[in-house]
Amino acid sequence: MAADPHIPVLLNPLLRAVAPVSGVWLDGTFGAGGYARGLLAAGADRVIGVDRDPMVFEMARDWAADFGDRLRLVEGTFSDLDTLAGEPLDGVVLDLGVSSMQLDQAERGFSFMREGPLDMRMAQDGPSAAELLNTADEAVIADVLYHYGEERASRRIARAIVAARPLTTTAQLAEVVSHCLPRPKPGQSHPATRSFQAIRIWVNDEFRQLVEGLSAAERALKPGGQLAVVSFHSLEDRIVKRFMQARSNTGGGGSRYAPVQKFAPAAFRLPFRRAIGPDPGETDQNPRARSALLRVAVRTEAPAGRADDGALAMPRLPVKGGG
């Protein structure tokens, strides 16, 4: 977690990767406004800040007005960013997952380190984590933990959650999960890390939002426009990587067993062969940067299309009604 939540992860690597910055950019995960301010300082004419959490705009009131009409704030999900922007874009930035600012707010229920109501809703609407966990079938909860959090003890934890219902606080859930797993060794993450991640993704439908947001960026970007995505765990990064590969026709060729497919014109080109990590020293100042990866794609002149969901490795719940 960053000591200063206003300095987003990988800001300097991102600004170098997309330089020179100009024109109209959209920050689809506005949060504390760190990327938006970085883009404006780097040369963006205007930035459209989008966030599904209405609280972030209340927190931005003290400084957003300083930028005048160079900064426009819009409440909504980045899955609709092309509609919310209302104009062609020169760049789109997405910072996936939960923000340090949200983790620090115990009343939001995102953190197992701070006791609060078991909520986890980014947009503060729809069913909360408590409502879902207290009503869902045990098999559904197990599938969520396994497919969204890669938790190998998912069935054991789901059984314990059902036995402990009703759950109302983050501390209760963290205790239930911790009792199902071995005590962590020094340097290992908290036992509840994977479970909290999985439940948060479930509550906010984050993987579907991500796939829709990537497609929306493809529709919104001008030729030469840049898409920059920062992710923090392997499931998110895998979806982003495969989307960019699929839409740039760099997903691999055929073999004598599987002939090369005929592709539509590439909608993106990839300026970097690999994901970009943090600068030396950034992880010392911000431990959250350790797992962060940045991927960049540049829009071509080809018409916008859509990647096949089956090629994106998006985790799916096999049990009907899983969210």
Side-chain angles (χ1 to χ4, degrees), residues 129-152:
E131 290 170 317
L132 289 174
L133 289 174
N134 289 329
T135 58
D137 292 341
E138 180 182 319
V140 172
I141 298 172
D143 284 336
V144 167
L145 299 177
Y146 182 79
H147 292 282
Y148 288 179
E150 300 180 308
E151 175 55 72
R152 286 177 289 183

Side-chain angles (χ1 to χ4, degrees), residues 55-69:
M55 289 186 65
V56 305
F57 302 121
E58 296 177 16
M59 298 179 69
R61 285 178 182 170
D62 292 339
W63 60 266
D66 296 342
F67 293 96
D69 59 6

Side-chain angles (χ1 to χ4, degrees), residues 270-294:
L270 306 184
F272 304 100
R273 294 183 61 187
R274 295 186 176 89
I276 299 169
D279 283 341
E282 181 176 359
T283 55
D284 295 333
Q285 299 177 359
N286 185 358
R288 187 170 178 252
R290 291 173 186 162
S291 60
L293 292 173
L294 165 68

